[in-house]
Amino acid sequence: MTEHPEHRPPHYTEHDVQREVTELETRSATAARIFDLRRIIGGLFVVYGVIVTVTGITDSQAAIDKAEGVNINLWTGIGMLLLGVFFLAWLKLRPTVLPPAEDRPEEHRGA
């Protein structure tokens, strides 16, 4: 069989390969930061914490009496807010950093 020129893989120079590997590493680092579980967990706890806190603030006296005098929605909402802020602060103070390419396993180097 004869190879047709349009079916040959393009010729990459060393510079092209290095540039492509650098782009893939940058995208991988960005994806790691975006999908960091601390961001997801912190965001969800903050959102639900706001909802439960507002519910606690607007609870009727009958609802508070039902919980034996404790405004459980308010306290739970505040706790959820604090936990969510903790996760988001942790993310800000200790961002995700990928190890250098030499320290990563072969399958994660973009090869």
Side-chain angles (χ1 to χ4, degrees), residues 1-48:
M1 291 194 343
T2 313
E3 254 188 68
H4 296 292
E6 63 269 2
H7 294 295
R8 289 186 192 152
H11 179 67
Y12 285 113
T13 65
E14 183 65 31
H15 177 69
D16 293 336
V17 172
Q18 187 61 36
R19 180 180 44 79
E20 190 171 333
V21 167
T22 303
E23 288 174 9
L24 288 172
E25 285 177 345
T26 302
R27 280 192 239 149
S28 176
T30 302
R33 281 191 297 275
I34 290 173
F35 295 110
D36 191 340
L37 285 179
R38 296 174 293 178
R39 179 183 316 267
I40 296 167
I41 292 170
L44 285 174
F45 267 98
V46 166
V47 168
Y48 290 133

Side-chain angles (χ1 to χ4, degrees), residues 48-70:
Y48 290 133
V50 166
I51 293 168
V52 175
T53 301
V54 169
T55 302
I57 291 171
T58 60
D59 266 348
S60 65
Q61 188 59 42
I64 295 171
D65 291 341
K66 193 174 183 180
E68 300 198 16
V70 177

